[in-house]
mmCIF file of all heavy atoms in Angstrom:
data_model
loop_
_atom_site.group_PDB
_atom_site.id
_atom_site.type_symbol
_atom_site.label_atom_id
_atom_site.label_comp_id
_atom_site.label_asym_id
_atom_site.label_seq_id
_atom_site.Cartn_x
_atom_site.Cartn_y
_atom_site.Cartn_z
ATOM 1 N N TYR N 9 -5.945 -6.855 17.824
ATOM 2 C CA TYR N 9 -5.098 -5.665 18.020
ATOM 3 C C TYR N 9 -4.339 -5.360 16.735
ATOM 4 O O TYR N 9 -3.805 -6.271 16.090
ATOM 5 C CB TYR N 9 -4.070 -5.941 19.132
ATOM 6 C CG TYR N 9 -3.318 -4.687 19.525
ATOM 7 C CD1 TYR N 9 -3.698 -3.957 20.630
ATOM 8 C CD2 TYR N 9 -2.264 -4.204 18.734
ATOM 9 C CE1 TYR N 9 -3.055 -2.769 20.967
ATOM 10 C CE2 TYR N 9 -1.620 -3.030 19.057
ATOM 11 C CZ TYR N 9 -2.018 -2.313 20.180
ATOM 12 O OH TYR N 9 -1.384 -1.145 20.501
ATOM 13 N N SER N 10 -4.279 -4.082 16.355
ATOM 14 C CA SER N 10 -3.371 -3.707 15.272
ATOM 15 C C SER N 10 -2.977 -2.241 15.407
ATOM 16 O O SER N 10 -3.549 -1.510 16.232
ATOM 17 C CB SER N 10 -3.983 -3.990 13.903
ATOM 18 O OG SER N 10 -2.959 -4.024 12.924
ATOM 19 N N GLY N 11 -2.000 -1.835 14.607
ATOM 20 C CA GLY N 11 -1.528 -0.453 14.670
ATOM 21 C C GLY N 11 -1.042 0.021 13.315
ATOM 22 O O GLY N 11 -0.645 -0.785 12.465
ATOM 23 N N GLN N 13 1.420 3.302 11.701
ATOM 24 C CA GLN N 13 2.294 4.428 12.043
ATOM 25 C C GLN N 13 1.817 5.707 11.358
ATOM 26 O O GLN N 13 1.563 5.686 10.156
ATOM 27 C CB GLN N 13 3.696 4.184 11.504
ATOM 28 C CG GLN N 13 4.363 2.924 11.947
ATOM 29 C CD GLN N 13 5.762 2.860 11.376
ATOM 30 O OE1 GLN N 13 6.607 3.694 11.671
ATOM 31 N NE2 GLN N 13 6.005 1.875 10.537
ATOM 32 N N HIS N 47 6.424 4.279 17.316
ATOM 33 C CA HIS N 47 7.131 3.587 16.232
ATOM 34 C C HIS N 47 7.576 4.572 15.151
ATOM 35 O O HIS N 47 8.637 4.412 14.548
ATOM 36 C CB HIS N 47 6.225 2.527 15.595
ATOM 37 C CG HIS N 47 6.192 1.243 16.357
ATOM 38 N ND1 HIS N 47 5.253 0.979 17.324
ATOM 39 C CD2 HIS N 47 6.989 0.163 16.306
ATOM 40 C CE1 HIS N 47 5.478 -0.223 17.834
ATOM 41 N NE2 HIS N 47 6.522 -0.746 17.229
ATOM 42 N N TYR N 130 12.628 -1.835 17.414
ATOM 43 C CA TYR N 130 11.237 -1.619 16.992
ATOM 44 C C TYR N 130 10.354 -2.871 17.216
ATOM 45 O O TYR N 130 9.247 -2.773 17.752
ATOM 46 C CB TYR N 130 11.306 -1.216 15.516
ATOM 47 C CG TYR N 130 10.049 -0.997 14.748
ATOM 48 C CD1 TYR N 130 9.734 0.269 14.247
ATOM 49 C CD2 TYR N 130 9.178 -2.042 14.437
ATOM 50 C CE1 TYR N 130 8.592 0.485 13.493
ATOM 51 C CE2 TYR N 130 8.046 -1.828 13.690
ATOM 52 C CZ TYR N 130 7.757 -0.571 13.219
ATOM 53 O OH TYR N 130 6.628 -0.359 12.474
ATOM 54 N N MET N 134 6.747 -3.385 19.285
ATOM 55 C CA MET N 134 5.545 -3.946 18.644
ATOM 56 C C MET N 134 5.051 -5.174 19.417
ATOM 57 O O MET N 134 3.839 -5.361 19.589
ATOM 58 C CB MET N 134 5.854 -4.292 17.191
ATOM 59 C CG MET N 134 4.690 -4.914 16.477
ATOM 60 S SD MET N 134 4.908 -4.827 14.691
ATOM 61 C CE MET N 134 3.754 -6.093 14.170
ATOM 62 N N ASP N 137 3.183 -3.873 22.364
ATOM 63 C CA ASP N 137 1.842 -3.404 21.966
ATOM 64 C C ASP N 137 0.861 -4.573 21.997
ATOM 65 O O ASP N 137 -0.219 -4.506 22.582
ATOM 66 C CB ASP N 137 1.820 -2.874 20.518
ATOM 67 C CG ASP N 137 2.763 -1.713 20.265
ATOM 68 O OD1 ASP N 137 3.191 -1.072 21.237
ATOM 69 O OD2 ASP N 137 3.075 -1.463 19.067
ATOM 70 N N VAL N 146 -3.957 -10.538 15.145
ATOM 71 C CA VAL N 146 -3.347 -9.279 14.722
ATOM 72 C C VAL N 146 -3.537 -9.145 13.211
ATOM 73 O O VAL N 146 -2.783 -9.733 12.421
ATOM 74 C CB VAL N 146 -1.830 -9.273 15.053
ATOM 75 C CG1 VAL N 146 -1.221 -7.911 14.758
ATOM 76 C CG2 VAL N 146 -1.569 -9.652 16.497
ATOM 77 N N GLN N 152 4.288 -7.636 7.835
ATOM 78 C CA GLN N 152 4.408 -7.610 9.299
ATOM 79 C C GLN N 152 4.386 -9.002 9.936
ATOM 80 O O GLN N 152 4.474 -9.131 11.155
ATOM 81 C CB GLN N 152 3.292 -6.762 9.903
ATOM 82 C CG GLN N 152 3.409 -5.295 9.555
ATOM 83 C CD GLN N 152 4.748 -4.727 9.993
ATOM 84 O OE1 GLN N 152 5.185 -4.916 11.127
ATOM 85 N NE2 GLN N 152 5.425 -4.056 9.080
HETATM 86 N N1 LTN R 2 5.006 -2.459 12.847
HETATM 87 C C1 LTN R 2 3.767 -2.180 12.213
HETATM 88 C C2 LTN R 2 2.919 -1.198 12.943
HETATM 89 C C3 LTN R 2 2.602 -1.725 14.293
HETATM 90 C C4 LTN R 2 1.709 -2.788 14.610
HETATM 91 C C5 LTN R 2 1.745 -2.917 16.012
HETATM 92 C C6 LTN R 2 0.904 -3.633 13.841
HETATM 93 C C7 LTN R 2 3.107 -1.298 15.465
HETATM 94 N N2 LTN R 2 2.592 -1.997 16.502
HETATM 95 C C8 LTN R 2 0.995 -3.874 16.658
HETATM 96 C C9 LTN R 2 0.159 -4.604 14.505
HETATM 97 C C10 LTN R 2 0.214 -4.728 15.908
HETATM 98 C C11 LTN R 2 4.123 -1.652 10.830
HETATM 99 O O1 LTN R 2 5.174 -1.183 10.596
HETATM 100 N N3 LTN R 2 3.228 -1.765 9.948
#
Side-chain angles (χ1 to χ4, degrees):
Y9 189 98
S10 198
Q13 303 182 63
H47 278 92
Y130 176 115
M134 178 162 161
D137 301 342
V146 186
Q152 293 303 311

